[in-house]
Amino acid sequence: MAFISSGYNPDKPMENRITDIGPRKYTDFLPPVIKNNFGKWAWHEIIEPGVLMHKADSGDEVYTVRCGAARLMGVHTIREICDIADKHCDGYLRFTTRNNVEFMVDSKDKVEPLKQDLASRKFDGGSYKFPIGGTGAGITNIVHTQGWVHCHTPATDASGPVKAVMDELFEEFQQMQLPAQVRISLACCLNMCGAVHCSDIAILGYHRKPPLVDDEYLDNLCEIPLAVAACPVGAVKPKKKEIVGEKGDTKTVKTVEVNDDRCMFCGNCYTMCPSLPLADQEGDGVVIMVGGKVSNRISAPKFSKVAVAFIPNEPPRWPKLCEAIHTILNAYKEGARKYERVGDWAERIGWERFFEVCGLDFSHHLIDDFRDPAYYTWRQTTNFKF
Amino acid sequence: MAFISSGYNPDKPMENRITDIGPRKYTDFLPPVIKNNFGKWAWHEIIEPGVLMHKADSGDEVYTVRCGAARLMGVHTIREICDIADKHCDGYLRFTTRNNVEFMVDSKDKVEPLKQDLASRKFDGGSYKFPIGGTGAGITNIVHTQGWVHCHTPATDASGPVKAVMDELFEEFQQMQLPAQVRISLACCLNMCGAVHCSDIAILGYHRKPPLVDDEYLDNLCEIPLAVAACPVGAVKPKKKEIVGEKGDTKTVKTVEVNDDRCMFCGNCYTMCPSLPLADQEGDGVVIMVGGKVSNRISAPKFSKVAVAFIPNEPPRWPKLCEAIHTILNAYKEGARKYERVGDWAERIGWERFFEVCGLDFSHHLIDDFRDPAYYTWRQTTNFKF
Amino acid sequence: MAKHQTPLLDQLESGPWPSFVSDIKRESDARHTNEKGVEYQIPEDVCDDLLGVLELSFKDGTTHWKHGGIVGVFGYGGGVIGRYCDQPEMFPGVAHFHTMRVNQPAGKYYTSEYLRQLCDLWDFRGSGLTNMHGSTGDIVFLGTRTEQLEEIFYELTHNLDQDLGGSGSNLRTPACCLGESRCEWSCYNTQELSYHLTQEYQDELHRPAFPYKFKFKFDGCPNGCVASIARADMSFIGTWADDIKIDQEAVQAYIGGEIAPNGGAHADRDWGKFDIQKEVIDLCPTECMWMEDGKLKINDRECTRCMHCINVMPRALRIGDDRGLSILVGAKAPILDGAQLSSMLVPFIKAEEPYDEIKEVIENIWDWWMEEGKNRERLGELIKRQGFQKLLQSTGIKALAQHVQEPRHNPYIYWHEEEVPGGWDRDINEFRKHHQR
Amino acid sequence: MAKHQTPLLDQLESGPWPSFVSDIKRESDARHTNEKGVEYQIPEDVCDDLLGVLELSFKDGTTHWKHGGIVGVFGYGGGVIGRYCDQPEMFPGVAHFHTMRVNQPAGKYYTSEYLRQLCDLWDFRGSGLTNMHGSTGDIVFLGTRTEQLEEIFYELTHNLDQDLGGSGSNLRTPACCLGESRCEWSCYNTQELSYHLTQEYQDELHRPAFPYKFKFKFDGCPNGCVASIARADMSFIGTWADDIKIDQEAVQAYIGGEIAPNGGAHADRDWGKFDIQKEVIDLCPTECMWMEDGKLKINDRECTRCMHCINVMPRALRIGDDRGLSILVGAKAPILDGAQLSSMLVPFIKAEEPYDEIKEVIENIWDWWMEEGKNRERLGELIKRQGFQKLLQSTGIKALAQHVQEPRHNPYIYWHEEEVPGGWDRDINEFRKHHQR
Ligand code: SRM
Ligand code: SRM
Ligand code: SRM
Ligand code: SRM
Ligand code: SF4
Ligand code: SF4
Ligand code: SF4
Ligand code: SF4
Ligand code: SF4
Ligand code: SF4
Ligand code: SF4
Ligand code: SF4
């Protein structure tokens, strides 16, 4: 493969350089029916799972067909999306904030052919390329992160568990039988790039072993004060150690020491210093958190709470994780009222009852012990259910 | 006045010494009707403000007449209480957990004479000795502390403001017109001996000037490390200072320095060290807190919230304090629903509305800035009222 | 004529509420008159000087009391609060003005005979002024001189069979609501448990061996009439484990308006006709009540025993029969790290003599607190600092969903090495075989 | 035949949900086939090696990526995440595997023309794999080699008129819900504000001068479809100040069952006949709705604009006309001190070009944060550390009851010297004249 220059001259990087132009303007990309009725929509309707109709004051209508997607997609899949858009939608399409693809048409008769086209497309392996769904009171796409595909800190994979869980819950993606929308998210480590802290159901990668210390190399690869400062619980301390090097030589190195008993495995030291790896096959796995939400509807946005302290990683299909989530979802489906989000349901019946109806164990891991606010999660009332 | 010995011999303190006998046993003091029906009460009724009737499974009845009292009482008043108990109640009486006096009789016909007797007794100054009331959905006695009568740390008096406020609200003590019971408490400093942190309405003495440092004497009177450790915000630091003594001599003393800008006037350093007085006529005054409760009825117990950041001390009758409390109480009386405690009402209408209907200013002082939990009191939702 | 002019205080004699100023003046007058010819052991003008120093405070807006020195009775570390006036020359009668805390009887019932004994003693050896009662619960003798402390103690113990209460870093005088003595809702005998534990822990009450103060309070039911959940390091609050008992006829009587709701607590205002749906069923926080065929039904499994329905209809609804109490721990005032209410530790425990199970919880907690608590650290603060898990460990209690209002929302979970397969011992060189630098 | 055996990954090809494994394989096949004869600038087997390294992770349960070095394009401090494989000999195709963040268009509408341009570029100079889209909102180009970064940037800017997004301690790529483009509830033009501020703050986006990352997100209404309140240091959420508009006829149509509630969102289950009382009026959190003479009434003064009733009856109820937005600040993930949602700072502000008032708030906040923020301290953490008051001071915003959910329950109020009559300068000797030691 021969290097082909774009025109960029490494010796004169500023030559012809264009910077700070920002993104393309959104108005370049709006389908005509959207542009014409911008800011003048009157109401909408979900005419069937995955298909929305928005009515404008003008009387215009736009029909949107929403499809699930593995957001990890190659250019060939994207080009296929473009083909579909060209064929049905005058070349326009959009992605949602949860990584679904939306195809829009400006009249009802265009919906059916579009749907059929989408539903007919499958990968060789057998999965749908563009399953229709993800609207209303159901499950939509899982917001997720990089996992073992690209990141250095994960305690679990992202795309793998997401695929497994979405297969498990696929029915709920294609129908609207739940009491309210249920948003599932995954983040492969505590950095929580998936912002899972406010999801109805959250899957969180979690380490359970304190960092290893790569004494011999640490001082070369890391700024010791930054590694020390990174630890929220003060478990990392600078230390001089006498070690036997890889080549059998004895030498004194500047390194750090980790107080294992204090560590709560957040990985922040590793973020600052590659010589403190945490990952471990037996130690790593996932936490399930539940009951968060973002909308202000009826109740204020709220954080997800830890419901299952740990499930081991079980690639490729994370069966225990899938089962636990399905069990929680079923209990919710059965017990919650119309419009009631997972968290509001759990609060109404009481968390003690939540654990019971979900058949989940309660353990000391679920009691908050992180800083002062922990107190506010304990029970300061005699009101409880047996 | 000649010293009269009790029999105690200071030279032989252990001689005949009796210790660790505890209180008198409560069973010695129970009126017969109580003793006979102990643990076998069926129901009760407030037959009129201040008068309760308890019915036993046996059919027995006990009528209780409850009277307000300044809990600061001399032995002559106590003897008068004893006289009344002897006359009407076979010599039995009790005090409530809020410092009211209760006279109990075992039949209805004994109630009226008792009531008349009580109502007829007044101090020379004109106030009632034994006002009847304090039951049901009304105001009862104010739980309070020592104030200027006995303590070294108060930022306000206790008995004075209590008398003033109870005069102001006297009607509500003698009737049951409020939506629910309203419990008022007073504590003269942040130590909160009145445990005002969970009262419907709380009056709290508050300093607003950082401690003076009595440099010349501090090292003699205090343990400097304890004084330093006492400060929750680290505003007190050990310091060597050169000072001019009372007699004009220059000397170097070990003392402390207070970082005035950090201090939030809690007085804990003064508790540990008398050389750090805070009291000041202009600086001191009271804070009004509202909406706390203790019972588990309907809603869980909760803390009172600061509603008025500061009212100056205005002895002898603290008019601004009385007015503010009466205004809050009236707004509550008008706006709350039956059975709704002050705090539940404020939460239902929203605190922004609470300040409006009470005509109270909101200022930055009311926004929590104490440690991590402060965050949980800010507003993490778009849901608000204009 | 009065020793000191008190124009400000005098203004507090008017108005309907009992005037403490009038009361002090009454005491002052009585001491000067001295009808009984008492040989006062502290200055006759103690009350005058108290009024004087208080008037001064009313004028200059500050207290005139100094920190108390260490005064007390031999062998006890509590029960007396020392107090000295900062203007002893102006007010010699209150130059010393110590308080003594006398352990009140559980439930605060008295005979006039006993109260008179107290009065006589205090008239003779103290100011004659009291607080009936202090916030913790004691009978507070307000103001005497150092040399009287032992004398009073001697008379109290020898003649009145009565001990002092607590102060300092020890168990404080326990207190309870009146409980079974006069309340239909008491789920256990609050007075007995209070009395029993007070006697059991006399040593802890009198001899400070704790990091800081420690309070017990006993509420017979969740209404909380002694406010234990807000004011006690250990709050004992009655509850029951079976069903609320319903008298359907009485329910009808409430509905029909024959019985006033809430024991008549709202009688002075016209709240309209009683509406069981609006006033009871809709307000039940767990929504576990409903009417069916004219009968009130309760799904007791979902009831959290908040007391509301029972409070509203005391003649129709009664607490269950399988009674006991919940133990909650850690309440305290705001100094230093903010106020705390007590947190649930034991959801349900029987309260039967000799209360061994309860004592076990208490003693486990004390062992932990005495081992780990810092100087001036309340139990609640220790729990916050070391975590609720440590409290569970130290008491051998299993974690329950009932311990929390909600599970943690931060995922910072501590795992112990034993809980993690393979443990924590790993070899960096082994790791590097699979993960190059 | 595949370069690496991937028996574990292969199991993820079955099942209905789109398989990322199939997608990567598709890309791998396409690269080997190379129908268009692309002169791949990075190894042809990049996708194979990605599958290989991922299979290894599936086997040993750990990642095989190392920390990224500092790679990027000249003059920019963000937009590229460096990434290297920790087994480069086994998987040379992904030895370097950096991502590039391409700033998505507001609302994520695309033309196929433009998307194809992106695809062609990325096919040619990268792995051909993307994330559509990253969690922050960017188009994520997944995997290329260091020497391609400048080339890609050059082509993007010169040929596609397209810039990179953010990474590092700078403004991150702003994101918004689709807003007025297709939603009847949008209270302002989220796309325009997002676009406008992205352009306005290009310097902040590309050149890290902040203590840490900073995110803007724009929700058109309180439904929060871009989750700004949970994921942005500054959350701009639409709202209105006047009344909800009611179409009483449509209300009747809902009641009559002619229109499905909530836009048909619950259509696949039989929830029974629509009950406006139960489903709307009783669920309104402020209880400000009622039926009167067959008409739906709202006491708008008490409404908190939670959206519930509007969501349930979109054809009957519409947002008000006096529109604007609320600004909330400080949301972040849990590292270090626990997660935060954004807190209310500006309850209501108009969103009209050129948005000067909004920019003033932004810039005041940045000035404060850049002055006071520590290294790696998010805005939310600074607010917690220095207090909400400091945030108000730095933005010149007056304290309002709307700022809090409830007032403080600890009384530890800071007073400033100016606020206290007489100031703090006092003389101990003067004090001691009135208060002896
Ligand atoms: C397309 C999208 C916006 C975008 O810019 O891409 C969108 C579009 C709509 N949302 Fe949303 N929401 C979108 C993400 C969200 C999110 C963000 C998220 O999940 O990360 C939320 C907050 C989630 C949360 O609270 O945790 C969200 C909370 C809502 C709500 C509040 C629902 C609730 O019960 O709390 C509504 C109102 C409703 O559904 O009645 C709503 C309503 C709507 C409406 C009906 C708005 C309208 O009038 O068009 C749109 C169709 C809803 C549907 O799909 O059923 N949208 N919506 C997003 C689609 C994501 C997807 O592919 O599934
Ligand atoms: C006598 C006393 C107990 C004692 O051992 O001395 C007592 C006695 C009763 N209380 Fe109480 N409570 C007493 C202090 C309290 C306290 C403690 C306090 O105020 O410091 C509380 C908790 C206050 C709080 O929540 O902030 C308290 C919260 C209740 C409640 C719950 C009311 C509510 O709406 O939350 C009830 C139930 C009711 O009133 O229906 C109750 C009910 C009762 C009943 C009806 C119980 C009964 O069946 O006899 C008694 C008469 C009530 C009345 O006066 O209207 N009692 N009650 C206390 C009288 C104090 C006084 O002199 O005013
Ligand atoms: C007398 C009494 C107030 C009253 O007028 O009733 C009282 C008076 C004092 N209390 Fe108290 N406390 C009294 C009940 C309380 C209560 C209420 C309770 O027990 O239910 C509390 C709040 C509950 C709690 O324990 O948290 C209380 C919380 C404090 C504190 C703060 C403790 C904390 O951990 O936050 C202090 C400060 C200290 O211990 O140094 C304190 C300290 C003090 C001192 C000893 C002052 C000091 O710093 O040395 C006061 C002596 C005043 C005097 O000269 O007489 N007092 N104190 C109460 C005891 C009477 C009795 O025995 O019945
Ligand atoms: C690519 C992306 C995940 C994804 O798969 O979508 C991502 C990937 C990384 N994030 Fe993130 N974050 C991504 C969105 C987020 C979000 C969500 C959001 O922006 O809405 C969050 C939570 C919200 C927030 O900002 O708090 C997030 C919170 C973090 C944090 C924790 C920051 C904190 O203050 O708590 C870190 C740690 C750090 O900055 O060192 C982090 C760090 C990282 C790093 C750079 C790892 C590191 O420590 O150096 C990850 C690089 C992975 C890789 O190799 O590609 N990432 N990160 C997202 C950016 C794509 C895009 O530009 O669209
Ligand atoms: S959540 Fe953690 S592991 Fe996953 S992409 Fe973000 S930083 Fe990487
Ligand atoms: S993983 Fe977190 S808690 Fe453990 S040592 Fe590293 S920074 Fe500290
Ligand atoms: S509240 Fe403060 S000033 Fe009042 S008695 Fe208690 S310690 Fe003394
Ligand atoms: S008053 Fe409180 S905050 Fe101020 S210096 Fe003393 S201990 Fe510290
Ligand atoms: S706490 Fe309960 S048992 Fe005790 S007096 Fe109050 S209502 Fe009765
Ligand atoms: S006690 Fe409370 S929770 Fe139980 S049924 Fe009665 S009102 Fe409902
Ligand atoms: S946030 Fe509001 S305006 Fe934006 S898409 Fe969602 S519902 Fe519409
Ligand atoms: S928007 Fe919410 S608060 Fe306002 S009327 Fe509708 S349901 Fe009630």
Side-chain angles (χ1 to χ4, degrees), chain A residues 26 46 83 86 150 163 270, chain D residues 17 67 97 112 116 192:
Chain A
Y26 65 99
I46 307 175
D83 293 342
D86 287 344
H150 201 266
K163 163 73 173 147
Y270 180 59
Chain D
W17 187 252
H67 280 63
F97 199 62
S112 54
R116 286 203 170 91
E192 183 59 33

Side-chain angles (χ1 to χ4, degrees), chain B residues 44 54 94 97, chain C residues 176-180 182-188 190 218-227 237-238 307 311 319:
Chain B
H44 77 278
H54 285 81
R94 77 175 288 268
T97 59
Chain C
C176 61
C177 80
L178 48 62
E180 294 188 339
R182 207 190 65 198
C183 184
E184 67 268 34
W185 298 324
S186 200
C187 300
Y188 69 101
T190 55
F218 306 88
D219 277 310
C221 82
N223 279 331
C225 295
V226 78
I237 306 180
M307 295 298 295
N311 289 341
I319 58 169

